[in-house]
Amino acid sequence: MINPVALKYKFLYNSLRYINRNNPRTKKYQEEGFKILASKVDKLPSELAFRPKFIKQSSCIKVFDKLYLFISKANLKKPVEERFDALFHEVGHWLHFQNMPALTERKQIWANADIEKIKCDVSEYAVSANDGKEFVAEVFKGLVKGKVYDDYIMSLYKRLNGPNVRRGK
């Protein structure tokens, strides 16, 4: 049976990839961002779909066994120090989705998390979901950018199966 939600995302993803296939700015963004990530992680998605810049939100969506990575073109013109933040965050989701604990386990781990400490040490957005999913993506982004977290944050990240990030480079 054909699932309409799966069809919708497949069509949207492939359409956006097709529209941007010859766009030098999106190609350059992907090459530069993936070059940084390749020095930090073992596995990367093969492609991104770029949303129009008026759609500010980037996302990684899992529909059944397929992952779709959408990046807003609004990121292309951001200052260099934050240009790849959305990419790093969404690739963090992409990697996490492949080794994510079950929702009940994530919620159980997250139920005892020190929310105030996470807001202070990671970000406000890291506590926006009640299952640790945004926390993992935000810590991943920070690690890729060279941020060092204390044992509490890293222990929680590991318990939630946060993706491995190599140091240095």
Side-chain angles (χ1 to χ4, degrees):
M1 181 176 180
I2 297 174
N3 182 295
V5 174
L7 267 179
K8 172 187 148 186
Y9 281 106
K10 183 176 184 175
F11 176 77
L12 178 60
Y13 190 74
N14 289 334
S15 296
L16 290 171
R17 284 184 36 235
Y18 181 79
I19 290 166
N20 288 292
R21 72 191 181 286
N22 295 320
N23 183 325
R25 289 177 47 235
T26 58
K27 280 185 176 184
K28 181 179 179 193
Y29 179 92
Q30 182 172 326
E31 286 171 8
E32 290 176 355
F34 278 9
K35 183 177 180 184
I36 295 166
L37 285 163
S39 70
K40 305 284 185 177
V41 296
D42 293 329
K43 186 177 180 185
L44 289 172
S46 57
E47 299 180 271
L48 308 172
F50 286 89
R51 287 183 169 148
K53 64 182 169 189
F54 65 84
I55 301 175
K56 303 281 188 223
Q57 185 179 1
S58 296
S59 59
C60 182
I61 299 165
K62 184 173 185 176
V63 181
F64 301 110
D65 63 341
K66 185 81 172 133
L67 294 168
Y68 299 100
L69 197 59
F70 296 95
I71 301 296
S72 172
K73 284 186 184 176
N75 292 290
L76 302 176
K77 292 196 173 194
K78 286 186 175 179
V80 69
E81 62 274 358
E82 60 186 70
R83 185 170 302 147
F84 297 107
D85 285 3
L87 175 65
F88 298 161
H89 178 98
E90 299 308 335
V91 169
H93 279 308
W94 185 85
L95 289 165
H96 192 217
F97 279 148
Q98 296 173 53
N99 193 28
M100 185 183 280
L103 179 60
T104 53
E105 184 181 347
R106 289 194 323 268
K107 283 186 170 190
Q108 192 173 27
I109 293 167
W110 193 248
N112 298 313
D114 185 341
I115 301 301
E116 291 307 313
K117 177 173 178 45
I118 293 166
K119 281 182 187 178
C120 182
D121 293 1
V122 182
S123 72
E124 289 270 340
Y125 195 71
V127 299
S128 63
N130 68 349
D131 64 356
K133 193 169 44 187
E134 296 303 335
F135 166 80
V136 168
E138 284 290 284
V139 171
F140 177 84
K141 175 183 77 177
L143 292 171
V144 168
K145 292 179 78 170
K147 188 165 182 178
V148 176
Y149 296 101
D150 66 19
D151 289 343
Y152 176 79
I153 297 296
M154 291 310 298
S155 172
L156 185 57
Y157 182 77
K158 286 181 175 87
R159 288 178 57 215
L160 289 164
N161 288 356
N164 291 327
V165 178
R166 291 188 294 274
R167 291 277 180 210
K169 292 187 185 179

